[in-house]
DNA sequence: ATAATAAAAGACTATTTTATCTTTTATTAT
DNA sequence: ATAATAAAAGATAAAATAGTCTTTTATTAT
């Protein structure tokens, strides 16, 4: 188990993929190409993108020349929006040792340490925008598969 | 989902509990008291402690006055040993976006950020010793339940 | 020796997460 | 209008994680 659920990993990678494949142009990209591009099981990814689409995190149209894309507002969104939508915000606010409620008045032994780490994760994901890596993804300096 | 699996959360909390309940004295503490003390399902915790016992992370004896305890070597162990035993070391070395292999030559978009965060988690868990919070746990300044 | 105690071991159940397959709906080109 | 295309929706299936229950083994006190 990593930091995020498998679902969330696929979600982030697919959104990065859609971003760099449709940025600028009025293009769309199909589920098949996305699944290959991020090395994920296609039907599972379809479910995930359905959900992201319902939530307005990605855009889509059906039919010929249809597919997924991102409008300019979506490209500016922080990654934390995706993580919160898919995994909830336990990773931002929950107790690292699983106490029902992280609190200053009844802290677990690692409270201060976790608070610091959670904040770093939160800030990092909040400061990173979906469209931020388009150039490096297009020229192959960054990878979303393997 | 938090940073650790439920199993791992229970494991860490129970080890802290055993540490502060048996430190110094030659005492033992039973599964029942531990389960109440950390608010976990007793039979599930029994399985977890069985595993930690087999791995030598906690000590135990059967029979009357039996129970779990920690020898002085165990009290000095870092928390990272527990996490590695239970959840593996994906959290220390794995790619945050789920690429099969985190690498400098084929990095994911968040590679540098994740590397930094993973290192902080690793260092924190490595520098924290199991017996470190015994005093605060005994006088109630820190909590392992609720 | 025997009975009582408490963890170890093993078999089993439930829930959640991950993944697949089929049918329906919307869009476009002809 | 019709056929082709591609996502949405819905119904299942498989695997992993979380949790329970019963029997066995080791230890101790009597
Ligand atoms: S109480 Fe555990 S992280 Fe705050
Ligand atoms: S490649 Fe993703 S964290 Fe290193």
């Amino acid at each position: 188990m990593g930091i995020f659920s498998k679902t969330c990993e696929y979600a982030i990678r697919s959104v990065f993929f859609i971003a760099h494949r449709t940025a600028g142009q009025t293009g769309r990209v199909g589920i098949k190409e996305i699944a290959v591009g991020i090395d994920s099981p296609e039907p599972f990814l379809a479910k995930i993108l359905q959900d992201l689409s319902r939530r307005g995190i990605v855009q889509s149209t059906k039919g010929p020349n249809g597919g997924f894309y991102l409008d300019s507002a979506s490209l500016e969104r922080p990654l934390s929006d995706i993580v919160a939508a898919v995994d909830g915000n336990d990773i931002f606010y929950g107790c690292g040792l699983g106490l029902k409620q992280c609190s200053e008045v009844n802290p677990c032994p690692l409270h201060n340490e976790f608070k610091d780490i959670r904040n770093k994760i939160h800030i990092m994901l909040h400061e990173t925008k979906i469209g931020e890596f388009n150039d490096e993804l297009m020229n192959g300096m960054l990878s979303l598969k393997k």
Side-chain angles (χ1 to χ4, degrees), chain A:
Chain A
M1 190 206 274
I3 302 233
F4 306 128
S5 67
K6 220 109 221 354
T7 302
C8 192
E9 291 174 352
Y10 291 147
I12 297 174
R13 275 153 55 199
S14 65
V15 168
F16 277 147
F17 187 87
I18 297 168
H20 96 280
R21 273 287 287 96
T22 66
Q25 320 100 299
T26 167
R28 314 275 150 88
V29 59
I31 182 75
K32 209 154 225 158
E33 185 182 343
I34 305 170
V36 171
I38 69 166
D39 189 30
S40 76
E42 191 197 310
F44 188 40
L45 183 63
K47 281 297 168 201
I48 297 168
L49 285 176
Q50 251 173 58
D51 182 53
L52 293 181
S53 175
R54 254 184 264 111
R55 293 169 185 274
I57 292 176
V58 304
Q59 285 68 53
S60 71
T61 54
K62 299 177 175 182
N65 309 318
F68 296 90
Y69 62 102
L70 294 167
D71 57 31
S72 48
S74 297
L75 282 168
E76 288 307 310
R77 281 192 159 207
L79 283 192
S80 50
D81 282 8
I82 303 176
V83 173
V86 176
D87 278 356
N89 15 30
D90 266 24
I91 198 167
F92 303 135
Y93 305 118
C95 170
L97 293 189
L99 302 197
K100 265 154 213 145
Q101 161 89 338
C102 168
S103 85
E104 300 288 338
V105 302
N106 214 42
C108 74
L110 300 176
H111 174 72
N112 288 316
E113 287 80 356
F114 276 130
K115 211 170 56 174
D116 180 50
I117 286 167
R118 281 180 336 206
N119 279 348
K120 281 185 173 30
I121 294 174
H122 202 168
I123 289 170
M124 186 267 273
L125 291 174
H126 189 75
E127 285 177 348
T128 305
K129 307 302 185 223
I130 288 174
E132 198 174 312
F133 302 102
N134 288 353
D135 291 348
E136 288 105 317
L137 286 168
M138 278 189 266
N139 69 25
M141 291 179 58
L142 293 175
S143 175
L144 296 173
K145 63 191 291 195
K146 289 267 179 77

